[in-house]
Amino acid sequence: MSVKKNSGISQPQKLMIFVLTMSLYGLATLMTELIPKFQVGIVEFSVEYFLFIPLSLAMLFDPLSAALGASTGELVFSEIMLGQFGGLGELEKFLTVAIGVYIAGCLVRNPKNVRMVGFAAILGVILQQFMGMVVDIVKVQTAVAEFEAVPGLPESVFFTEGFAFLNDVLFSGILFCMLPTMYLVPKLYGKIEPLLGMKPRQAGVPTVRAQAVGTQTVGTQAVGTQSFEERTSAEPVIPAKAVVLSLIGFAVAIGAEYLAESGMALIDWEASWAESSGAMAAGMGVAAAAAAIVIFWMKRNAQLRNAA
Amino acid sequence: MLEKLSENLFDKISIDFLRNQVMKNAYGNNDTVIAALDPRILLLWYLFFGLAPWFMKDVVLLLGMFLLVAALACMARIAPLVLFLFCIGVFTQTGYLLLISLFFGGNMETVAPLLVMTLKVAVVSLASVTVFSGLDPDRLANGLEWFGCPERFSFSISFGYRMLPVLMEEFQNILLSYRLRGNAPAKDTFVGKVRWFVYQVKVIMMAFYPLMLNTAKRSRTTVEALELKGYRYASQNMAVKRIRLASLRLGNRDIWFVGISAAWMAACVGFSWWVRGGML
Amino acid sequence: MIRIEDLTFTYPGAEKPSLKKIRLHVEKGDFLAVIGNNGCGKSTLCKTLNGLIPHFISGDMEGHVLIGGEDTQEQQVGSLARKVGYVYQDFENQIVRPTVLDDASFACLNYALEGHEERGRKALSMCGLKEKEGDFIWQLSGGQKHLLALAGALALGPEVLILDEPIAQLDPFHARQTYEILEKLNREYGKTIIVIEHHTEYIARYCKHAILMRDGEILWKLPAREALRQVEDLEESNIFPPQVTLAAYQLKKRGILLENVPLPTTLEEGKEAFSSCRFWPCVGRHQEEKPLGEVMVDLENIRAGYRAVKGESRPIFDGFSLKIRRGEKVALIGSNGAGKSTMMKLMIGLMKPEAGRISLQGQNTRKMSPEEMAKRISMVYQNPEEMFIKDSIEADIAYAMRVRKVPDWRERTEKLLELFHLTGIKDRDGRLLSGGQMRRASLAIGIALNPGILLLDEPTANLDIATRHEIMGTLELLKGITETVVIATHDMQLVCQWADRILVLKDGRLIADGAREEIFADREVERQVGIQPPEIYAMGRALSEKADCYTIEEFIDCFQEMEVNCFQEMEANCFQEMKGEGFGYAGEAV
C-alpha cells in the first residue's frame, strides 16, 4: 500500500484534494440555498452557485479530484444533508459540474496568469450551464405528452431555458465564478499548498507540481497525470482525453433523458396494445419488474457472501 | 411582493437557523417510521415513485400517488425549511413557464399540461425528500453501496455527515469575524437595502478564502488518519464491504411498507379505471 | 520494542534535515515523554514510528526504524497501524465517522478484522467512553473526542501508542482523566506509550522516561524525574520544569537549600526536599481596596440557550446576573460546557438572550447595531485562525479600522504592529505563523478598535509553556489600551498571576466570585468544579496550613529560612514581588 509514485500527484494527495473540495463546495452550496433570489421582470438576480471554489482548487491542484469532489460535495451536503436529494435528476448536475470544473482546471497551466484563469473559469461555467440547459429542455419534452402540440409551449421552453442560460452565465457566471476565481487563484497560489504538504506547481516546468519525487513512467493511466503533463507543455491544449471523457459524460447525462423519452413511447405503445387486456399487461409489467428486483437482490447477496 | 417576501426571509434565516435546520434534518429524525425501514427498500420504492410519474398521463393516478407520498412525507417529519424550499422549487418553475408561454400565444390549453407537469414534479420531489431526508445519511450510504454505488461516494456521505457541524461552526465564526469587525451599510432606504444585501453576499464569498486555508489544514490530518485506519485498503476489499453491509436486514416493517404502497397504488389504478369507465 | 538506528530524515524541499542521526531504544512497557521546543522534530520522529514516514510523506530517509524487530520500510502502513497507534494533536480531524462506536471500530472494519464492533466497544470501555457509544460526534465534549481518537487507535490492538500533545486542549480535570487512562493502559495492558508533552507536571507524575530533542537530535534520554532536574537544559529548550522543581532550583541558587538535596519534581518529593524550610508569612500581602469603577457589563436575569436538535431545548443560563466594572481583570473558569463561551457570546451580542437585559456601559445591547457594539466590546476567539480573514496580518489588523474609516488607521496599525512585535512579519498570512505569533496577532486584531472591554477565550490553550509566558507578557501590554479584560481559561497559572477577580461557572450558575484567595481556599468549589490551584500553591499548603502562595516568587519569599532580624529585607522582597507580580515569573525564570 505504499505511495504510488508513478503519477505527478500521489493517491493520498488526490484524496486530500477530493476531501477539501467536497467539504468546501458542499458548504458553499448550502449557503447559496440561503441567499434569496431577486427577480426583476424576467431577469433573475440569483446566486446560482459559488463555482469559484472548485474552479480555484482545480486550477491549483489536480483537476479531476477537484471536479469529482465538487460534484460529490454538492450532492452530499446540500442535497442529501438538507434532504433535497432529487435522486436521478441529480445525476445531470453531478456530471455537468464535474465536466465544467474539470475542463476549466485543465485549461490553466499557469495559475499566476490571471487572464487565463478568468477565461478558463468563465468557459467552465458556460460549458456547465449549456449542458444543463440542454438537459432541462429534454426533460420538459419528456414530461409533457405531445410537447409540440401544446400551443406556445415549445417556444416558451426554448426561450426560458435559453434566457436562463444567458442570465446565469452573465450574472452568476461573472460575479460568482469568474471574478472571485481571478481574485483567489493568485492569492492562494503558494499559500495553500504547504498546508496540504505539497509543493506549488510551477508554470512551464513539468513534473515539479507534486512533492512526490516520482519517476515519470510512460503511459500512465491516470487522467490527472496526462492532463498535467500536457498542461505544463508549451501550449494550452485541452487534453484529448479530457474531451473524450467529457463527451462520454455528457452523453450519459442526456442519454438518461432520451432513454426516458423512448421509455415513454414504449409505455404508450404498450397502453394501446393493452386496451383489451389492460389488467394482464399491467400485471405482467409489475411481475417482470418485481422478478428483476428479486433476482438482483439475491445475486447481490450471494456476491457479498462469497466475498469472504 | 416577491422581493418583500425574500427580504423578510433573509432577516429570519441566519446561518444559525440554517445550521439548526440541517442538523435537525440530518440527525434529528432517526426515530421516525421511515428512518427505521431498510434503506434498500426505500431506494427501490423511490426508484418507482421517482421515475414512474414521468411516464404517466393519468391525473387520478398521479393525484393518488401525490397523496400517498405526501402522507409519508408527514410521517418522516421533514424539517420546515426543507419543505419550504421544496414548495418554492416546484411552483416557481412551472408558474414562470406558464407566464412565458402565455406571452408566446398560449391559452388555457397550455395550462392543463403544465398543471399535470407540476403534479409530476411534486410527486417526484416529495418522494425524494421523504426518502433522502427521512433516512439518516449513514444508512442511505449503506443502502447505496449495497446497490453498487462506488464506495468513495458512500464514504463521502458519512464523512459529510460527520464534518458538517464542524465546518458550519467554523464558517459561522469567520462570518462573525466579518460582522464584528466589518461595517455593513445601513439598510434604511431601498438603495441601502440593496447595498446591504450585496455586502452580505460579498462577505459570504470572502469568508471562503480563510475557510479554504483552514480546511486545507484539516484535511491533511484527516487523510493521514484515513491512511492509518486502512481506508484505502478497505475500499477495494469485498470482504470489508460484506461486513459493513451486514447490518442491512429486511424486516416485517419493510414488507408492510411495500405492501401498503402497492395496495394503495392498485386501489388508485382501480379507481382511475372506474372514473374513466364512468365517463365513457 | 522500538529501535531507531542512525535515522536521518529530510522533508522534500527542506534545506536542513528534520532528524539527524537519531538513535533511540524504547523498551516494551515504557511510558516515554518526548520534550523539546517547537520545530525540534518531535512530531516528525513520531511519524517515522507508524510508517507515515516514509510511506505516506515522502522525503529522504536514511537509517532504520525497527518496531518489534521489523523494519518499517519493509512493512505497509496498514500492518504498522496494528502495531503503533497514533493520536494527533488536532485529533478532531482524526475522527471521520458520524457516531462514536462507528468511529472506534472503523479501522478494524477496514482491515476486515472479525468482530470489529466488539473490538471498538472494548477500546471504548478502556477509554471510559462505554456509555457514549451511540452518540454523535458533535455531542461529545473536547475531552471525550480526544478519548475517542485514542479509542480509535486502540481498537486495532497496537502495542505502542503515540500521542501528540494529548492535553493541550483539555481542562485540568479532563487532562488528569486522560493521563489516568494512559497510565492504566500502560500498567494493566502493558502498552508502550509515547507522549509529546510540554506539561512537565504530568511528565513527573506519570512518565517513566523522557527524551529531550533539540534541532533534530536527541540530547539525552533519562528516567523522567531525573530528566526534569536538568533545569538548565530544559530552560534552554524553552521547557519549564514543574513549579516545585523551579522553586527548589531558585532556593538552591540562593543557598537556602543545600546542594546535596535532589531537586524535587512532585509534591511528595517536595515535602521532603523543603522540609528544612520554614514558613514565614509575608506582611503587606493583602490587597489594597480599589474604588469601584463604572459598570461596564451588566447582565440581568439572563435566560439563554441553544435550540436542541431533538426535543425540548434546555437553557444554559436561567436567571443569571453579573456585573463587571471598569478596570477589573476577570478570569472565568469552569469545566468545558459550563457556559463560559456562551456567556461571552451573550456579552458581545452574538447570541441574544431569550429573557433578561444586557447592558454595556449602561446601554441596552438589544438596540445597538453590531458596529456600535464593536466599539465598546471586542472578543478574541479561542482559535485564532478564525480571526484571520485577510491575507496578511497587517491587513487583518487594519481591516476593522479601515472599513469604519478611522481617520488615522494607518498610523494606528503601525503602532499596534510595533507594540505586539509583529512589524517584521506583517506581510505574512496569519495561519502560517507560529502559535505565539498567531496569538499576538489575534490580540492586536481584537483591540484595533479600542474597545472598552476585551474578551479573551482561552488565550493560552494549545501553546507550549514558553509561548504561554510570552502571551502573559503580552497581556500586560493591553493595560494601556483596554482596562477591562475578561479571560475564559483553564490555565490556573494564568489565573493566579493575572486575575484580580475570579468567576467560577458550573452548569450556567455562578458558584463562586472573588479574589484568588477566596476561590482556592474554598473546598466546596474545588469539590464541585474540580479546579485545582497551581502546583506551587498545593506545595505551599502541604508544607504549611497558612501558606498562600500562588507564584514561584511568592513561594520563595515565604519559605526563605530567615532570621528575625532580616525583617527589613523581607519587606523589600515583598515589595519587589508586588511590583513584578504576574510578569515577574516569566522574567525571572528565564
Side-chain angles (χ1 to χ4, degrees):
Chain A
M1 225 189 343
S2 71
V3 180
K4 290 197 187 74
K5 287 186 178 173
N6 59 351
S7 66
I9 233 170
S10 68
Q11 206 60 41
Q13 282 169 337
K14 281 186 183 164
L15 182 60
M16 225 180 277
I17 297 158
F18 176 83
V19 166
L20 178 64
T21 323
M22 180 182 85
S23 322
L24 286 171
Y25 190 55
L27 189 68
T29 47
L30 262 184
M31 291 301 130
T32 46
E33 298 282 349
L34 257 193
I35 301 171
K37 296 176 183 344
F38 292 95
Q39 215 148 13
V40 178
I42 52 166
V43 184
E44 195 182 64
F45 295 104
S46 72
V47 184
E48 179 65 17
Y49 46 22
F50 285 142
L51 205 62
F52 71 93
I53 294 164
L55 282 172
S56 309
L57 292 169
M59 289 169 193
L60 291 166
F61 302 109
D62 175 42
L64 188 63
S65 308
L68 289 178
S71 339
T72 314
E74 172 164 10
L75 218 59
V76 168
F77 279 68
S78 103
E79 312 294 340
I80 293 181
M81 292 292 147
L82 209 56
Q84 283 192 300
F85 187 58
L88 298 170
E90 305 296 343
L91 191 67
E92 154 230 331
K93 200 150 192 205
F94 185 92
L95 287 168
T96 54
V97 166
I99 294 168
V101 171
Y102 177 60
I103 289 182
C106 285
L107 274 177
V108 177
R109 52 191 182 105
N110 177 10
K112 279 199 165 152
N113 183 347
V114 179
R115 239 188 263 169
M116 190 64 224
V117 167
F119 171 70
I122 198 74
L123 191 76
V125 174
I126 291 175
L127 272 174
Q128 194 274 328
Q129 288 289 347
F130 183 75
M131 290 186 283
M133 175 180 77
V134 173
V135 172
D136 275 351
I137 292 176
V138 175
K139 222 191 258 175
V140 181
Q141 280 182 332
T142 319
V144 180
E146 288 113 37
F147 173 72
E148 304 288 336
V150 180
L153 191 60
E155 294 92 333
S156 62
V157 170
F158 286 123
F159 176 79
T160 45
E161 289 298 334
F163 190 82
F165 165 71
L166 277 182
N167 192 154
D168 281 343
V169 168
L170 293 180
F171 188 75
S172 282
I174 291 179
L175 282 184
F176 304 114
C177 301
M178 188 175 92
L179 293 179
T181 315
M182 286 166 75
Y183 167 83
L184 267 179
V185 170
K187 266 197 163 181
L188 288 172
Y189 178 69
K191 218 179 243 176
I192 195 168
E193 293 92 345
L195 291 174
L196 288 170
M198 298 181 200
K199 259 193 194 172
R201 47 185 289 207
Q202 282 165 28
V205 189
T207 71
V208 281
R209 178 143 150 257
Q211 66 153 196
V213 207
T215 49
Q216 280 280 315
T217 46
V218 193
T220 43
Q221 310 94 321
V223 184
T225 325
Q226 182 101 3
S227 66
F228 153 68
E229 274 162 8
E230 243 143 320
R231 186 157 13 136
T232 46
S233 67
E235 271 174 72
V237 256
I238 305 177
K241 231 172 200 175
V243 173
V244 173
L245 259 186
S246 314
L247 282 178
I248 293 174
F250 185 53
V252 171
I254 53 173
E257 306 293 340
Y258 271 118
L259 191 82
E261 203 182 15
S262 56
M264 182 174 76
L266 195 80
I267 287 179
D268 270 355
W269 168 79
E270 221 173 277
S272 62
W273 164 79
E275 283 293 314
S276 50
S277 53
M280 213 177 93
M284 269 167 67
V286 170
I293 289 168
V294 169
I295 288 170
F296 175 75
W297 194 282
M298 281 159 66
K299 208 178 133 201
R300 190 81 183 134
N301 266 338
Q303 203 181 349
L304 282 169
R305 211 173 303 124
N306 294 337
Chain B
M1 173 60 194
L2 189 69
E3 236 161 64
K4 209 164 189 179
L5 182 74
S6 42
E7 189 75 39
N8 271 336
L9 273 170
F10 200 71
D11 281 344
K12 267 190 217 131
I13 299 182
S14 60
I15 305 285
D16 217 28
F17 178 74
L18 175 78
R19 183 168 165 223
N20 216 278
Q21 289 288 317
V22 173
M23 301 278 278
K24 256 200 184 125
N25 191 49
Y27 309 97
N29 45 11
N30 47 5
D31 50 359
T32 60
V33 184
I34 299 291
L37 293 171
D38 189 317
R40 293 170 297 179
I41 291 292
L42 276 174
L43 282 171
L44 283 176
W45 181 85
Y46 166 69
L47 209 62
F48 178 73
F49 283 88
L51 270 182
W54 293 111
F55 309 120
M56 281 189 213
K57 286 180 290 184
D58 193 329
V59 182
V60 181
L61 210 54
L62 280 171
L63 266 175
M65 282 175 110
F66 179 77
L67 285 180
L68 174 69
V69 174
L72 287 169
C74 286
M75 280 161 75
R77 268 190 267 142
I78 314 293
L81 176 69
V82 173
L83 278 180
F84 174 74
L85 288 172
F86 156 79
C87 291
I88 294 241
V90 170
F91 291 106
T92 50
Q93 197 186 351
T94 42
Y96 190 45
L97 210 54
L98 178 66
L99 278 177
I100 303 288
S101 59
L102 285 178
F103 181 74
F104 275 101
N107 45 38
M108 283 328 276
E109 266 176 70
T110 323
V111 177
L114 275 177
L115 272 181
V116 176
M117 193 180 93
T118 312
L119 199 57
K120 288 179 182 183
V121 173
V123 172
V124 171
S125 317
L126 255 187
S128 67
V129 165
T130 309
V131 169
F132 298 107
S133 169
L135 209 52
D136 93 42
D138 219 31
R139 286 172 62 81
L140 173 64
N142 276 341
L144 283 172
E145 203 185 334
W146 192 87
F147 282 110
C149 227
E151 196 276 341
R152 165 91 58 110
F153 184 69
S154 63
F155 167 75
S156 302
I157 295 179
S158 301
F159 181 73
Y161 195 33
R162 146 89 187 98
M163 286 307 281
L164 189 65
V166 180
L167 277 173
M168 279 191 120
E169 183 164 341
E170 183 148 347
F171 190 69
Q172 197 180 8
N173 278 343
I174 293 173
L175 279 186
L176 292 177
S177 275
Y178 271 103
R179 209 172 97 194
L180 290 176
R181 278 150 64 194
N183 195 6
K187 49 172 180 173
D188 330 321
T189 58
F190 178 73
V191 178
K193 270 190 181 129
V194 171
R195 272 170 53 198
W196 180 84
F197 183 74
V198 170
Y199 173 82
Q200 297 295 340
V201 174
K202 231 168 108 186
V203 161
I204 290 182
M205 289 213 295
M206 287 197 291
F208 273 98
Y209 167 73
L211 191 73
M212 273 168 131
L213 293 169
N214 293 353
T215 316
K217 248 183 174 175
R218 278 175 191 285
S219 28
R220 194 177 174 187
T221 308
T222 303
V223 172
E224 276 186 26
L226 281 176
E227 182 76 14
L228 290 178
K229 294 190 173 190
Y231 165 68
R232 222 145 48 81
Y233 163 79
S235 54
Q236 286 123 29
N237 192 329
M238 272 305 261
V240 175
K241 198 173 246 184
R242 182 181 58 95
I243 302 178
R244 189 170 33 222
L245 300 180
S247 64
L248 297 178
R249 262 198 204 104
L250 279 183
N252 279 341
R253 265 187 235 248
D254 302 300
I255 294 164
W256 273 109
F257 177 72
V258 173
I260 289 172
S261 298
W264 175 261
M265 284 314 296
C268 285
V269 169
F271 185 64
S272 114
W273 274 352
W274 179 73
V275 169
R276 241 185 294 166
M279 281 199 304
L280 279 174
Chain C
M1 192 69 217
I2 299 171
R3 292 165 70 87
I4 302 178
E5 305 287 355
D6 292 321
L7 176 70
T8 302
F9 180 78
T10 315
Y11 278 105
E15 283 157 23
K16 282 190 297 178
S18 302
L19 298 174
K20 290 179 215 154
K21 297 255 163 219
I22 298 278
R23 290 176 137 250
L24 177 68
H25 295 197
V26 182
E27 314 279 310
K28 189 172 166 48
D30 201 354
F31 198 141
L32 178 75
V34 181
I35 42 186
N37 54 338
N38 289 336
C40 70
K42 292 173 305 216
S43 297
T44 312
L45 177 70
C46 289
K47 282 183 184 173
T48 61
L49 295 178
N50 62 5
L52 276 181
I53 295 175
H55 293 301
F56 190 85
I57 301 165
S58 47
D60 298 332
M61 178 169 145
E62 284 166 39
H64 296 282
V65 180
L66 301 164
I67 308 282
E70 288 178 84
D71 197 323
T72 56
Q73 228 155 1
E74 287 149 23
Q75 284 178 293
Q76 297 188 328
V77 178
S79 54
L80 276 169
R82 285 183 237 175
K83 291 180 190 160
V84 182
Y86 196 93
V87 181
Y88 282 82
Q89 190 180 359
D90 51 342
F91 53 87
E92 170 119 39
N93 302 322
Q94 192 177 348
I95 300 168
V96 288
R97 306 293 295 184
T99 56
V100 171
L101 180 61
D102 201 5
D103 191 74
S105 49
F106 186 54
C108 295
L109 171 67
N110 282 338
Y111 292 118
L113 302 181
E114 275 313 308
H116 64 280
E117 285 206 344
E118 267 323 297
R119 285 170 193 257
R121 246 182 227 124
K122 203 176 135 208
L124 284 177
S125 73
M126 273 172 163
C127 296
L129 284 177
K130 207 172 175 183
E131 58 277 15
K132 294 272 173 201
E133 64 173 53
D135 284 17
F136 284 112
I137 304 299
W138 51 266
Q139 290 172 317
L140 301 184
S141 70
Q144 289 167 336
K145 277 184 205 156
H146 187 267
L147 290 176
L148 175 60
L150 179 63
L154 258 180
L156 282 172
E159 285 179 58
V160 182
L161 275 175
I162 303 173
L163 294 98
D164 197 344
E165 307 209 16
I167 57 169
Q169 296 184 38
L170 304 184
D171 64 73
F173 175 75
H174 287 102
R176 241 176 308 143
Q177 192 188 13
T178 298
Y179 263 98
E180 258 142 41
I181 284 166
L182 288 178
E183 196 185 29
K184 195 177 86 184
L185 291 173
N186 178 250
R187 219 181 30 229
E188 286 176 28
Y189 299 93
K191 308 271 182 209
T192 309
I193 294 177
I194 300 177
V195 288
I196 298 177
E197 189 53 86
H198 294 301
H199 297 82
T200 42
E201 289 92 0
Y202 290 90
I203 298 178
R205 213 144 101 199
Y206 297 100
C207 296
K208 291 179 184 160
H209 286 93
I211 58 173
L212 177 66
M213 288 189 70
R214 196 181 293 160
D215 299 330
E217 286 173 274
I218 294 181
L219 284 192
W220 38 250
K221 178 185 173 196
L222 292 168
R225 294 189 178 176
E226 192 54 41
L228 296 176
R229 294 190 183 112
Q230 316 300 317
V231 178
E232 282 101 350
D233 275 351
L234 292 176
E235 284 186 343
E236 203 179 315
S237 279
N238 269 328
I239 305 292
F240 285 77
Q243 287 185 313
V244 179
T245 318
L246 268 181
Y249 180 72
Q250 306 264 344
L251 287 174
K252 245 188 194 180
K253 255 196 186 160
R254 298 190 189 186
I256 295 158
L257 273 181
L258 293 176
E259 272 303 316
N260 58 7
V261 178
L263 289 175
T265 55
T266 59
L267 285 184
E268 290 73 45
E269 286 181 0
K271 270 185 214 160
E272 199 169 313
F274 293 119
S275 56
S276 63
C277 302
R278 210 150 26 95
F279 173 67
W280 201 273
C282 244
V283 280
R285 171 146 291 290
H286 60 87
Q287 284 186 331
E288 57 198 296
E289 283 294 312
K290 265 191 253 170
L292 288 178
E294 170 200 0
V295 176
M296 298 294 276
V297 185
D298 194 356
L299 306 177
E300 285 172 79
N301 267 322
I302 299 298
R303 194 177 72 219
Y306 293 98
R307 266 175 291 202
V309 171
K310 217 186 262 184
E312 284 282 292
S313 62
R314 209 167 46 88
I316 295 176
F317 291 112
D318 204 353
F320 183 87
S321 297
L322 176 73
K323 278 187 176 59
I324 292 173
R325 291 172 188 279
R326 184 185 287 279
E328 281 184 331
K329 296 198 279 185
V330 182
L332 196 56
I333 59 178
S335 57
N336 292 339
K340 300 193 296 284
S341 298
T342 313
M343 192 170 130
M344 289 194 157
K345 278 188 187 161
L346 282 168
M347 285 185 192
I348 201 162
L350 293 184
M351 240 175 100
K352 299 269 178 262
E354 288 159 28
R357 216 175 85 110
I358 301 175
S359 325
L360 293 178
Q361 286 164 301
Q363 284 198 341
N364 195 337
T365 56
R366 219 172 254 282
K367 291 171 203 127
M368 250 184 245
S369 68
E371 286 71 38
E372 234 177 300
M373 284 191 73
K375 268 181 238 154
R376 294 164 199 261
I377 189 161
S378 166
M379 173 162 158
V380 176
Y381 298 152
Q382 173 174 4
N383 184 359
E385 285 167 14
E386 286 160 2
M387 308 261 314
F388 302 129
I389 51 179
K390 292 275 156 190
D391 58 349
S392 73
I393 50 173
E394 185 182 21
D396 258 325
I397 295 173
Y399 180 74
M401 296 188 276
R402 195 167 49 84
V403 294
R404 274 150 218 239
K405 303 188 177 65
V406 175
D408 53 343
W409 61 272
R410 272 172 223 280
E411 291 77 40
R412 266 190 61 80
T413 307
E414 240 165 75
K415 252 193 223 158
L416 282 169
L417 283 169
E418 195 73 44
L419 185 66
F420 289 92
H421 311 294
L422 296 166
T423 313
I425 49 172
K426 63 178 187 180
D427 294 323
R428 303 253 312 264
D429 189 291
R431 272 161 284 270
L432 305 175
L433 302 176
S434 74
Q437 290 167 334
M438 250 197 241
R439 293 284 170 174
R440 285 203 311 256
S442 64
L443 281 175
I445 295 170
I447 60 167
L449 285 178
N450 247 339
I453 309 140
L454 182 64
L455 309 177
L456 305 175
D457 199 355
E458 297 282 359
T460 56
N462 289 336
L463 296 179
D464 65 48
I465 314 268
T467 318
R468 260 167 63 189
H469 286 294
E470 187 189 314
I471 294 302
M472 286 194 209
T474 311
L475 287 180
E476 292 299 307
L477 295 175
L478 296 179
K479 266 187 181 159
I481 303 167
T482 301
E483 292 167 312
T484 318
V485 181
V486 181
I487 295 186
T489 188
H490 296 310
D491 184 345
M492 292 304 145
Q493 290 190 26
L494 170 71
V495 172
C496 287
Q497 284 173 30
W498 173 85
D500 54 21
R501 180 177 171 198
I502 301 173
L503 304 174
V504 186
L505 278 182
K506 193 192 183 224
D507 301 332
R509 279 176 306 118
L510 197 60
I511 58 168
D513 176 3
R516 61 187 189 188
E517 285 77 11
E518 301 165 42
I519 301 293
F520 289 113
D522 193 339
R523 293 276 151 215
E524 186 57 22
V525 172
E526 198 186 319
R527 197 184 57 77
Q528 275 195 40
V529 192
I531 53 162
Q532 268 202 329
E535 196 181 24
I536 198 75
Y537 176 83
M539 188 72 248
R541 270 291 158 96
L543 295 173
S544 160
E545 275 297 304
K546 283 170 287 181
D548 245 350
C549 26
Y550 296 92
T551 63
I552 295 180
E553 289 71 40
E554 287 173 13
F555 181 85
I556 291 169
D557 287 335
C558 290
F559 286 95
Q560 296 207 27
E561 226 182 359
M562 270 179 279
E563 304 292 319
V564 182
N565 55 12
C566 287
F567 197 70
Q568 275 178 331
E569 191 192 328
M570 191 186 71
E571 241 181 351
N573 260 336
C574 278
F575 178 65
Q576 254 182 358
E577 180 264 317
M578 294 285 288
K579 244 186 11 184
E581 196 177 11
F583 203 28
Y585 176 32
E588 256 195 79
V590 173

